[in-house]
């Protein structure tokens, strides 16, 4: 990298523009476009994400203040409020969706690790809801006077990268999105209580994959066989069959039930799984690590811009969500490739104030070293990508 390049331009060097151009040609994204291309649109949205811009007006105001730098930042010379608004409304979101999955693949490959020491990948599946004004986002009706969308996310617990996302209106129940999950043979899927959809759990079982789901308190079953001489915090470890007709029809085979007593929170948890080779403690530990996806949702909402949108159409909302995924994956890639010893929160805070500087990235991240490690660990922010 060159010291004369802007920080934002140095970051963009980590992206594969050739693959993005391939997707643009595939969907005809730049057809009849003379000035503000799909690439310019992507970089403008990422500039807003990394620069912590709250609204379309806020983003355009900052870009206009740096209009002499726009060409060298990669934004082009035609970044206007109307151009960006029209592009977000009219250009096919699938261009940005497929590129998001491409970046996810790159980030996962770089962050690959084996924390759980299992043969397959370990995923958590959950959703987060974003409230919207129904008068503006009329297509996202949730309740009578309320709008909203859900981002159903499959999260890799080992690499800490979201691997699949399904965007729906908030009225879609969590369990209905389970049918969209791309299944891998030998992988483990972790769910909370809202996902007691036995038909879909059986689909995971038939795909030769494994699941751990927290059971509802009113689960009706009968024990077929059980294990004795259990550790003190394992109350039950048994094979069961479901007794309610609908549940039994959805999952006609035996299930494993594990009842676990959590001393820290003084409560009892009950899990269902088809993973008979795991110990009861491994089952409980997999579910405990599901909490990482909640931290990811919290981090995404607090530090990337998906709570306020630059456009009101479904297409514009989807494109902005994908731009947040770009920023998340780009930070992961930069941290890996440059061996940055900072939390993701620190990296984003530094970048938000430095995008138009000409400092080398290495110097930018190394300049302000904390003298006391307590300053680093004292933050309440989740330290993603750090193992």
């Amino acid at each position: 990298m060159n010291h004369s390049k802007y920080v934002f331009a140095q970051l963009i060097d980590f992206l594969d523009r050739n693959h993005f151009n391939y997707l643009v040609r595939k969907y005809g994204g730049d057809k009849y476009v003379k000035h503000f291309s799909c690439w310019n649109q992507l970089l403008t949205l990422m500039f807003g994400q990394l620069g912590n811009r709250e609204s379309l007006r806020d983003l355009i105001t900052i870009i206009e203040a740096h209009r002499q730098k726009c060409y060298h930042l990669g934004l082009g010379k035609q970044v206007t409020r109307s151009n960006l608004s029209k592009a977000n409304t009219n250009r096919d979101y699938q261009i940005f969706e497929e590129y998001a999955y491409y970046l996810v693949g790159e980030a996962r490959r770089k962050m690959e690790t084996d924390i759980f020491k299992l043969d397959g990948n370990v995923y958590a599946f959950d959703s987060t809801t974003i409230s919207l004004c129904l008068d503006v986002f009329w297509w996202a009706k949730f309740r009578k006077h309320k709008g909203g969308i859900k981002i159903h996310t499959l999260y890799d617990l080992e690499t800490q990268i979201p691997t699949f996302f399904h965007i729906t209106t908030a009225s879609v129940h969590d369990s209905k999105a389970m049918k969209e999950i791309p299944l891998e043979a030998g992988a483990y899927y972790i769910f909370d209580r809202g996902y007691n959809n036995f038909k879909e759990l059986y689909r995971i079982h038939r795909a030769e994959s494994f699941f751990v789901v927290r059971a509802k308190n009113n689960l009706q079953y009968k024990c077929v066989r059980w294990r004795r001489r259990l550790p003190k915090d394992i109350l039950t470890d048994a094979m069961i069959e479901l007794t309610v007709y609908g549940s039994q029809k959805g999952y006609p085979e035996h299930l494993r039930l594990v009842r676990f007593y959590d001393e820290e929170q003084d409560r009892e948890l009950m899990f269902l799984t088809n993973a008979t080779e795991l110990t009861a403690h491994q089952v409980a530990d997999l579910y405990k690590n599901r909490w990482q996806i909640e931290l990811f949702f919290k981090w995404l909402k607090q530090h990337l811009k998906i709570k306020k949108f630059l456009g009101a159409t479904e297409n514009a909302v989807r494109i902005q969500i994908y731009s947040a995924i770009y920023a998340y994956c780009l930070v992961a890639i930069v941290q890996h490739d440059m061996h940055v010893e900072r939390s993701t929160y620190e990296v984003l805070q530094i970048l938000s104030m430095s995008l138009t500087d000409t400092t080398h990235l290495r110097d930018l991240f190394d300049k302000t070293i904390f003298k006391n490690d307590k300053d680093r660990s004292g933050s309440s922010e989740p330290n993603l990508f750090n193992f």
Side-chain angles (χ1 to χ4, degrees):
M1 296 178 183
N2 194 307
H3 277 268
S4 63
K5 293 182 72 171
Y6 295 116
V7 167
F8 184 71
Q10 295 176 56
L11 290 172
I12 300 309
D13 286 342
F14 288 90
L15 299 179
D16 187 341
R17 184 172 181 176
N18 289 331
H19 186 76
F20 185 78
N21 289 340
Y22 159 75
L23 294 175
V24 172
R25 292 193 299 271
K26 177 181 176 181
Y27 291 100
D30 281 344
K31 193 173 183 180
Y32 306 123
V33 174
K34 294 182 179 179
H35 301 293
F36 192 63
S37 67
C38 289
W39 181 250
N40 297 144
Q41 179 186 0
L42 179 146
L43 297 192
T44 301
L45 291 170
M46 289 195 66
F47 188 87
Q49 290 287 349
L50 296 172
N52 204 25
R53 300 299 102 200
E54 291 287 347
S55 65
L56 180 61
R57 185 187 299 275
D58 186 19
L59 173 59
I60 296 302
T61 299
I62 294 299
I63 290 176
E64 287 179 347
H66 295 282
R67 58 185 178 275
Q68 300 298 328
K69 305 175 184 177
C70 281
Y71 176 81
H72 296 288
L73 289 170
L75 307 181
K77 295 183 178 181
Q78 301 295 324
V79 186
T80 64
R81 186 175 178 179
S82 60
N83 280 350
L84 181 57
S85 180
K86 288 177 183 177
N88 287 342
T89 300
N90 299 324
R91 288 178 182 166
D92 196 337
Y93 74 86
Q94 292 182 86
I95 299 171
F96 302 89
E97 181 181 58
E98 289 197 23
Y99 195 61
Y101 280 119
Y102 174 78
L103 285 182
V104 161
E106 289 292 298
R108 286 185 69 199
R109 181 177 58 81
K110 291 177 181 293
M111 304 299 294
E112 189 174 3
T113 185
D114 187 15
I115 297 174
F116 296 102
K117 307 300 180 183
L118 299 174
D119 292 334
N121 293 318
V122 181
Y123 301 104
F125 187 73
D126 208 342
S127 71
T128 186
T129 301
I130 301 172
S131 297
L132 300 173
C133 175
L134 189 58
D135 291 338
V136 178
F137 300 87
W138 55 268
W139 49 270
K141 187 172 183 179
F142 180 23
R143 297 191 178 97
K144 187 175 181 180
H145 301 293
K146 187 176 181 180
I149 59 171
K150 276 185 180 179
I151 308 176
H152 306 269
T153 304
L154 188 67
Y155 186 73
D156 189 330
L157 293 177
E158 293 184 309
T159 63
Q160 299 193 0
I161 300 293
T163 64
F164 171 77
F165 14 86
H166 179 57
I167 302 169
T168 67
T169 60
S171 58
V172 176
H173 192 272
D174 289 350
S175 64
K176 299 294 183 183
M178 292 175 70
K179 62 183 178 182
E180 305 295 337
I181 299 175
L183 300 179
E184 298 176 13
Y188 293 80
Y189 298 88
I190 319 301
F191 303 97
D192 204 5
R193 279 188 298 192
Y195 295 91
N196 277 235
N197 184 331
F198 292 106
K199 180 179 178 181
E200 292 303 322
L201 292 175
Y202 192 56
R203 182 175 75 93
I204 295 175
H205 177 69
R206 287 188 287 109
E208 299 182 350
S209 303
F210 305 98
F211 62 83
V212 174
V213 59
R214 185 178 171 189
K216 293 183 177 180
N217 294 331
N218 62 353
L219 180 71
Q220 297 185 40
Y221 62 93
K222 67 177 182 180
C223 286
V224 178
R225 62 181 183 273
W226 52 88
R227 297 182 183 180
R228 303 180 185 275
R229 297 181 181 178
L230 302 174
K232 66 174 183 178
D233 53 352
I234 303 298
L235 306 179
T236 304
D237 189 353
M239 297 302 294
I240 67 167
E241 64 179 37
L242 304 172
T243 56
V244 175
Y245 173 76
S247 302
Q248 190 180 54
K249 184 179 178 181
Y251 203 103
E253 298 186 29
H254 292 167
L255 277 164
R256 182 184 180 188
L257 181 142
V258 174
R259 289 173 57 229
F260 171 76
Y261 176 69
D262 186 350
E263 291 185 354
E264 292 182 5
Q265 301 188 34
D266 189 26
R267 63 174 181 168
E268 180 184 316
L269 301 173
M270 186 164 60
F271 309 118
L272 295 174
T273 181
N274 65 335
T276 58
E277 300 300 320
L278 299 182
T279 66
H281 279 129
Q282 283 179 305
V283 172
D285 187 54
L286 284 176
Y287 181 81
K288 181 179 180 181
N289 278 275
R290 191 203 68 85
W291 187 247
Q292 291 182 41
I293 193 172
E294 304 290 354
L295 293 178
F296 166 73
F297 287 144
K298 177 183 176 182
W299 189 92
L300 196 67
K301 287 182 175 181
Q302 286 183 346
H303 304 303
L304 295 177
K305 302 306 167 187
I306 61 169
K307 296 181 74 174
K308 294 182 180 179
F309 291 94
L310 308 184
T313 66
E314 182 178 359
N315 197 76
V317 169
R318 286 178 178 270
I319 289 175
Q320 187 168 335
I321 291 172
Y322 296 136
S323 71
I325 300 297
Y326 298 158
Y328 187 88
C329 291
L330 179 61
V331 171
I333 291 170
V334 170
Q335 282 184 293
H336 174 272
D337 289 359
M338 299 190 68
H339 307 286
V340 177
E341 295 183 358
R342 289 186 180 275
S343 71
T344 311
Y345 171 74
E346 292 169 4
V347 172
L348 278 176
Q349 293 303 306
I350 292 170
L351 291 177
S352 68
M353 299 297 293
S354 311
L355 293 179
T356 56
D357 290 351
T358 55
T359 310
H360 193 284
L361 281 179
R362 178 71 62 189
D363 297 332
L364 188 68
F365 295 133
D366 289 347
K367 269 185 178 179
T368 313
I369 301 299
F370 285 99
K371 295 181 180 179
N372 193 334
D373 285 340
K374 291 182 180 179
D375 293 338
R376 218 181 260 202
S377 60
S379 173
S380 61
E381 300 298 331
N383 290 331
L384 303 179
F385 315 127
N386 292 338
F387 300 101

